[in-house]
Amino acid sequence: MTGDDPLEESAQGEPLPDGGAAGADDVALDPWGSSSVSDYRKLFEEFGIEEFDEVLEEVPNPHYLMRRGVIFGHRDYRPVARALQNDEPAAVLSGFMPTGDPHIGHKLVFDEIIWHQQQGADAYALIADLEANSARGMSWDEIDEHARNYLLSLLALGFDPEAGELYRQSAHREVQDLAFDLGAEANFSELQAIYGFDGETDVSHMQSVVTQMADILYPQLEEPKPTVIPVGPDQDPHVRLARDLAERMRFFKVSEAYASFELGPVERDLVAEFYERLDPAEFDDDTLRCVHVAEALEEAPLSELGVPADILSSVLTKLNEAGMEPIRPRTRFSDRRATEKAFDALIDAIEGEKRVYENHVDAFEIDRDEAEELARQVEVDTGGYGFRPPSSIYHRFMTGLTGGKMSSSIPASHISLLDDPEDGYNKVKSATTGGRETAEEQREKGGKADECPVYELYAYLLAGDDDEFAKRVYDECVGGERLCGDCKEQAAQLMREFLADHQEKRDEVEELLEAAEIELESPRRR
């Protein structure tokens, strides 16, 4: 979940309609490894990440990273977008593992947090020091030094600490208490399947995962609200686990039902289809009953039903056992982990016709959305969390200036936000480009901006909010008008100016950091 090294991927053009580069290897997402994604489209197919373009029109005043396709995917971002549109509560949170200097790859996450804060979301930024210590073996002295640098850059870029919250995992008791609660809903087999943990994995490393789950859900402790986690795609396993745990912590599950007994999703769809197909007027007392649906299903050829034989057999058994019970659509509140007090409160809160059973309540005069909100409110009122599944947005990895990965361990591949401006200038001047072998060939065929780390610098950072400038650089490159030498010189000068300005602002926010409510020295080192 941290904004740790965004490691690798080829640059994007202007724009990126297909959501990813072509010709890929298998996708493997490892939050602590050197994950790279050669084909972002595989993330849509294999992991259920949705294309951000599909939600872009619903985002008020979208950030340039969204407009240019740098933010390429999302999980369930629409509730966040709606909240921002309607000036309703929303939150943004991301964390930073302080294993080295903050660099221009981390700036993507800084910008995403700050933009959401400027749109009205509650903003949270954390230092993942427990993760750095347990998963990366960093000393507390090293962690403190790097943490300070991350925080200064975040503040210098515009994070408002008075309107947001900064914290470190090791010093936040509420987060640790929440992690303890969440840990009761996770097990080793699950972490093993997700992260590849084995008998050699430190317990502290496993504990750091649960702490990250607490970080992700922490913005909802005071009230449930849409919350977005901006990350690179390698952090998606954390997001998926957090969404699962958010659901498991809920007191009630809300679903659709047609009878007093439970049906699986495919079984329910089958019964729903026949509920719509059959006319109650054809039966005694104008009532459609379980046996009527069972008889209709038995008469229908299996090939037309489109379900496996075992599913049909299960449905028929349940319907025949229920016999003359009427088939009626209803909204079901199932007891997942509710207290007796909460279950009784739910019964009292449901208005209109209802049926109360040992482990669920069926309501006949409330729709699904209303039921979801009612269940959440009852849960919060009776001491539960009422978590909403957290959303996420995913940005592309930046290509290293030397090609391949951008990595903190390869100084020439990245530009640190702490680099001397002249060093930043020189690194850009030395960067690999997507140009042709000769100027003549470049003018004839045009450059390959989509494969150029220097063009990435324009699109991700140097063009700022000026889409016309970013597009002009791209068009001039692929059209053969822009040669690599001049392009790199312009980019190098802009990088020098950016670093000088950023570092001046870092000096200006020193006092702001000292006044912020965050421990700058870990309590673990004392």
Side-chain angles (χ1 to χ4, degrees):
M1 186 273 298
T2 60
D4 192 35
D5 285 346
L7 287 176
E8 176 185 7
E9 200 31 59
S10 55
Q12 90 286 0
E14 180 67 27
L16 287 163
D18 70 347
D25 50 15
D26 290 336
V27 176
L29 300 181
D30 179 359
W32 298 288
S34 56
S35 296
S36 64
V37 180
S38 297
D39 188 345
Y40 288 98
R41 287 170 298 190
K42 284 183 177 287
L43 298 174
F44 307 139
E45 299 164 6
E46 296 185 24
F47 297 101
I49 292 174
E50 300 177 70
E51 295 187 52
F52 196 84
D53 281 351
E54 296 176 359
V55 74
L56 182 61
E57 291 184 358
E58 302 172 42
V59 180
N61 186 31
H63 191 275
Y64 71 79
L65 294 173
M66 299 173 174
R67 301 195 302 265
R68 294 176 196 161
V70 178
I71 295 173
F72 70 91
H74 75 99
R75 278 193 190 280
D76 196 26
Y77 187 69
R78 284 184 175 83
V80 178
R82 284 196 296 269
L84 297 179
Q85 282 181 333
N86 299 322
D87 196 26
E88 296 171 351
V92 58
L93 175 142
S94 199
F96 304 93
M97 185 155 51
T99 56
D101 290 341
H103 57 61
I104 57 175
H106 298 115
K107 183 181 178 293
L108 299 180
V109 185
F110 292 152
D111 286 344
E112 293 169 64
I113 295 172
I114 292 165
W115 177 84
H116 280 91
Q117 184 181 48
Q118 292 170 345
Q119 306 311 306
D122 298 330
Y124 302 79
L126 67 107
I127 297 298
D129 55 355
L130 293 178
E131 183 183 2
N133 181 260
S134 63
R136 294 291 178 87
M138 301 288 293
S139 73
W140 293 107
D141 286 341
E142 292 173 313
I143 288 170
D144 288 347
E145 177 185 354
H146 295 315
R148 183 180 185 87
N149 284 327
Y150 276 88
L151 293 168
L152 282 173
S153 284
L154 178 65
L155 294 174
L157 290 167
F159 184 90
D160 183 353
E162 294 185 359
E165 182 176 343
L166 304 172
Y167 72 88
R168 58 190 305 157
Q169 291 173 327
S170 64
H172 204 299
R173 186 54 191 260
E174 278 188 297
V175 167
Q176 294 178 36
D177 288 346
L178 177 56
F180 184 85
D181 284 352
L182 294 173
E185 294 297 321
N187 58 59
F188 175 73
S189 295
E190 182 173 34
L191 299 187
Q192 184 180 42
I194 296 172
Y195 301 110
F197 290 164
D198 57 29
E200 300 300 314
T201 305
D202 292 342
V203 173
S204 61
H205 190 174
M206 290 184 276
Q207 186 178 3
S208 76
V209 170
V210 184
T211 302
Q212 287 182 76
M213 300 303 101
D215 289 326
I216 292 172
L217 296 173
Y218 170 65
Q220 299 190 59
L221 275 187
E222 288 190 7
E223 65 169 327
K225 56 192 162 192
T227 301
V228 62
I229 314 299
V231 288
D234 58 333
Q235 302 296 303
D236 184 59
H238 292 323
V239 175
R240 282 180 279 147
L241 178 57
R243 288 175 62 85
D244 286 345
L245 288 175
E247 289 292 340
R248 290 178 214 168
M249 296 296 289
R250 294 297 308 279
F251 281 3
F252 306 102
K253 175 184 177 182
V254 176
S255 60
E256 297 174 348
Y258 284 85
S260 62
F261 50 87
E262 199 64 49
L263 292 168
V266 178
E267 296 174 332
R268 186 166 56 244
D269 290 345
L270 188 60
V271 171
E273 178 185 343
F274 275 74
Y275 172 81
E276 295 295 334
R277 183 185 301 185
L278 299 175
D279 184 359
E282 297 180 2
F283 303 100
D284 294 341
D285 70 12
D286 297 332
T287 301
L288 181 63
R289 302 180 184 276
C290 290
V291 292
H292 301 146
V293 176
E295 290 168 358
L297 284 170
E298 288 172 334
E299 293 172 1
L302 181 63
S303 59
E304 293 182 8
L305 296 178
V307 299
D310 61 331
I311 294 291
L312 176 60
S313 176
S314 174
V315 172
L316 289 174
T317 297
K318 293 175 182 179
L319 290 170
N320 285 317
E321 287 179 350
M324 295 302 288
E325 178 184 339
I327 290 285
R328 295 177 60 194
R330 76 280 307 271
T331 300
R332 173 160 297 160
F333 299 82
S334 299
D335 182 353
R336 179 177 270 155
R337 59 194 303 272
T339 61
E340 184 177 346
K341 175 183 177 182
F343 193 75
D344 290 342
L346 176 70
I347 295 170
D348 292 340
I350 297 172
E351 297 182 352
E353 185 183 357
K354 56 195 167 190
R355 297 285 185 274
V356 179
Y357 301 89
E358 183 178 359
N359 294 311
H360 68 266
V361 181
D362 287 351
F364 296 87
E365 299 177 24
I366 184 172
D367 66 28
R368 177 76 176 270
D369 290 340
E370 291 175 314
E372 291 279 6
E373 289 308 308
L374 178 63
R376 179 171 286 109
Q377 189 59 55
V378 168
E379 180 176 339
V380 172
D381 289 346
T382 54
Y385 292 113
F387 290 134
R388 297 177 184 273
S391 307
S392 50
I393 52 177
Y394 302 93
H395 54 257
R396 295 168 181 269
F397 294 122
M398 292 190 75
T399 308
L401 298 178
T402 53
K405 299 176 182 178
M406 175 176 287
S407 172
S408 293
S409 62
I410 308 174
S413 75
H414 75 275
I415 295 175
S416 165
L417 296 177
L418 310 183
D419 274 347
D420 182 277
E422 286 303 318
D423 290 340
Y425 173 91
N426 291 330
K427 285 184 179 180
V428 176
K429 288 287 286 184
S430 301
T432 301
T433 71
R436 305 290 178 174
E437 291 188 5
T438 66
E440 290 73 19
E441 187 180 5
Q442 177 96 350
R443 291 189 180 97
E444 179 185 349
K445 298 181 178 178
K448 295 179 283 186
D450 297 303
E451 302 174 14
C452 181
V454 176
Y455 175 68
E456 264 194 10
L457 294 177
Y458 285 101
Y460 287 44
L461 185 149
L462 300 178
D465 201 44
D466 191 342
D467 287 345
E468 290 186 7
F469 176 41
K471 188 175 188 306
R472 185 166 67 251
V473 172
Y474 182 83
D475 290 343
E476 289 176 356
C477 173
V478 299
E481 303 169 52
R482 176 175 284 254
L483 299 182
C484 293
D486 293 338
C487 187
K488 285 206 290 186
E489 175 63 27
Q490 183 181 27
Q493 291 181 17
L494 290 172
M495 182 62 72
R496 180 168 55 195
E497 293 170 9
F498 165 75
L499 290 174
D501 179 65
H502 179 68
Q503 289 164 23
E504 182 179 339
K505 289 178 179 175
R506 279 173 55 93
D507 292 338
E508 293 172 359
V509 299
E510 282 273 4
E511 292 184 3
L512 204 59
L513 178 58
E514 297 296 335
E517 295 183 2
I518 181 172
E519 291 198 36
L520 299 177
E521 183 175 299
S522 171
R524 302 300 176 101
R525 63 189 287 186
R526 293 197 289 268

